[in-house]
Amino acid sequence: MLLQRCFTLSKSYKYRAFSSLRPPDVEVDNVVIGGGVVGLALAEMITRERPQESTLLIEKNKRLGEETSARNSEVIHAGIYYPKDSLKTQLCIRGNRLLYALLEKTSIPYDRIGKWVVAQSSEQHSYLEELSAKATSLGVETYFMDGAKAMAMEPELKAHSVLVSPTTGIIDSHAYMDYLEQQIMEQGGDIGLNTKVVNIVPGNGGGRYLLETVDGSSQTRMTVAANQRVFNAGGLHADHISNFLMPGKYKLHYARGHYYAYNAPSSIRHLIYPCPEKNLAGLGTHLTLDMAGKIKFGPDVLYIDNPYDYSLPDDHAHKLAFTKAIQSYLPSIDIDKLQPDYAGIRPKLAGPGEPFQDFVIQEEKDDGFEGFHSLIGIESPGLTSSLAIADYIRETL
């Protein structure tokens, strides 16, 4: 019934030419663009905190959370990797605590399984010491294990030393998004699926902003007036959405990461991460477990031009490079048991070789667009940070 209601919303209005001088087809107080985990968290917060206002979430795909939110490691991060004063750090730490508080009250599957960040040399151990000191200063729990103890606990592991992050966990991200969807609907919000935003203009008597949308099946067009606010949580396409109003202001890069399943028994019971890559382009090709205990490896980082290209390399050279990365901490890995599983694409503000870029979360007042909120470059740790991002925006309203 929920899906039926969602689909009906985007198909039940007749087409009108898009013009700020003509009445809109739909008028609401708030529009959230993007039905990934961040857009869902935002819409849930708005419908809960502002029940007197009408809220519409618009998603271009036929189902919610089909892109970055559904194609990741499903890890609840602790927030220790990124620069101390960055939004990524602050919102990840806050989001970790908010998410666990929610999970303890619901039936969403999760496991506070813990993460081991593995050093293979004294030089890498020095990096882990710096990481631990930063974690302590941020109020995030970590502790060290020497290599001998770590390898006694995880016999397949190769390690000089290990930094343990006990507040890192895993979550069923699909169940989490289902929960947020249910809350939005029960709190009076609406969801328009299969509905793509193709233009936005400031309103002229018909709402603060007018959004032109196209139904993905019928190609029917309609105009939505957002009389209070627009929240652009468009993920891989968020730059294009904000650029309707501010051409050229934002540019996202697409970083595809590949995941491999491991079709062999393993005794590993923790998340295993190598030391992260330079400029934090990624956190290294790590080992994660899903809620069923199945092992997967990934992601690597490959910059691409097409945000819809989820293809998996099917060549021995890529598989060999992937295996060598894993063998740095799991030397017994059998290349013949690794099978390509899926790929995910991250919306990155930093291009190849460029330095760290933080989340952009801001109301575009400086450009004259009050009430229009841009959320750009929301990649990892976006899943962990989702509730904190919504809370951060709540505090600005």
Side-chain angles (χ1 to χ4, degrees):
M1 293 300 293
L2 289 179
L3 287 179
Q4 183 179 3
R5 179 181 173 187
C6 293
F7 277 100
T8 300
L9 180 66
S10 63
K11 296 182 179 180
S12 60
Y13 301 97
K14 295 181 179 179
Y15 168 71
R16 299 183 187 189
F18 185 60
S19 169
S20 60
L21 301 177
R22 301 181 66 173
D25 299 289
V26 183
E27 289 193 48
V28 295
D29 294 307
N30 305 293
V31 172
V32 178
I33 303 171
V37 68
V38 172
L40 286 164
L42 267 173
E44 190 283 323
M45 177 277 293
I46 296 166
T47 54
R48 170 170 37 86
E49 294 290 328
R50 294 176 172 265
Q52 74 280 10
E53 298 178 359
S54 55
T55 298
L56 168 65
L57 183 149
I58 297 175
E59 166 56 44
K60 70 179 180 61
N61 292 310
K62 292 182 179 180
R63 291 183 296 271
L64 296 167
E66 280 200 336
E67 296 180 357
T68 306
S69 297
R71 295 170 171 269
N72 56 68
S73 300
E74 296 187 299
V75 171
I76 303 171
H77 291 287
I80 61 176
Y81 284 112
Y82 300 103
K84 186 174 179 180
D85 296 329
S86 68
L87 279 176
K88 285 189 177 183
T89 293
Q90 296 169 30
L91 296 177
C92 186
I93 294 171
R94 188 174 176 184
N96 176 287
R97 294 164 183 167
L98 289 172
L99 190 52
Y100 278 127
L102 172 67
L103 294 173
E104 289 167 2
K105 298 186 296 184
T106 66
S107 59
I108 301 168
Y110 76 102
D111 190 351
R112 202 185 302 235
I113 194 172
K115 174 171 70 178
W116 292 11
V117 187
V118 181
Q120 300 298 342
S121 65
S122 56
E123 181 182 4
Q124 289 190 351
H125 179 77
S126 296
Y127 170 84
L128 293 188
E129 288 181 322
E130 295 175 3
L131 195 62
S132 177
K134 183 171 74 172
T136 300
S137 70
L138 291 166
V140 178
E141 180 186 1
T142 59
Y143 61 88
F144 276 102
M145 280 195 297
D146 62 36
K149 182 177 180 180
M151 290 185 288
M153 293 178 64
E154 294 280 17
E156 298 178 47
L157 187 67
K158 174 189 173 187
H160 173 277
S161 59
V162 169
L163 182 65
V164 179
S165 170
T167 59
T168 300
I170 54 176
I171 183 175
D172 183 334
S173 60
H174 298 275
Y176 174 45
M177 289 189 284
D178 288 346
Y179 168 83
L180 293 172
E181 176 190 8
Q182 182 76 33
Q183 292 297 111
I184 292 165
M185 303 298 279
E186 289 181 357
Q187 291 162 184
D190 283 304
I191 298 175
L193 296 177
N194 204 26
T195 303
K196 183 178 181 180
V197 176
V198 295
N199 198 12
I200 304 174
V201 297
N204 182 9
R208 179 171 289 183
Y209 294 98
L210 293 174
L211 293 75
E212 184 181 16
T213 68
V214 176
D215 181 274
S217 298
S218 67
Q219 298 303 302
T220 299
R221 292 173 177 260
M222 72 173 185
T223 302
V224 178
N227 291 329
Q228 294 289 331
R229 307 166 199 88
V230 174
F231 301 91
N232 170 19
L236 293 167
H237 318 284
D239 56 340
H240 299 302
I241 292 167
S242 287
N243 288 347
F244 286 140
L245 295 172
M246 300 159 286
K249 181 170 183 178
Y250 297 111
K251 168 63 178 174
L252 284 172
H253 304 271
Y254 310 119
R256 188 174 67 203
H258 309 99
Y259 291 85
Y260 280 72
Y262 192 55
N263 299 322
S266 174
S267 62
I268 296 289
R269 292 295 177 265
H270 297 85
L271 308 178
I272 309 295
Y273 280 57
C275 284
E277 301 171 19
K278 187 178 181 181
N279 293 334
L280 294 173
L283 298 183
T285 303
H286 49 262
L287 179 157
T288 58
L289 300 165
D290 62 19
M291 294 305 303
K294 183 181 177 182
I295 285 177
K296 58 187 174 184
F297 293 99
D300 53 0
V301 178
L302 175 67
Y303 280 87
I304 59 174
D305 296 325
N306 182 358
Y308 299 99
D309 182 4
Y310 291 102
S311 60
L312 287 162
D314 189 20
D315 62 89
H316 183 73
H318 183 269
K319 190 174 184 180
L320 182 61
F322 212 92
T323 304
K324 287 183 176 178
I326 298 167
Q327 285 176 335
S328 67
Y329 60 86
L330 209 66
S332 63
I333 195 76
D334 184 349
I335 188 172
D336 294 327
K337 302 297 184 182
L338 281 173
Q339 300 297 328
D341 195 5
Y342 65 96
I345 301 175
R346 285 156 279 181
K348 298 184 76 68
L349 282 163
E354 294 178 358
F356 168 83
Q357 292 286 318
D358 203 0
F359 291 156
V360 171
I361 305 174
Q362 64 184 27
E363 185 178 4
E364 302 289 0
K365 287 182 178 180
D366 291 346
D367 285 291
F369 298 108
E370 185 177 356
F372 187 90
H373 298 255
S374 293
L375 294 88
I376 313 289
I378 311 297
E379 51 161 335
S380 181
L383 172 62
T384 306
S385 304
S386 54
L387 295 179
I389 291 171
D391 212 39
Y392 180 80
I393 288 178
R394 178 187 61 80
E395 292 174 352
T396 70
L397 297 182

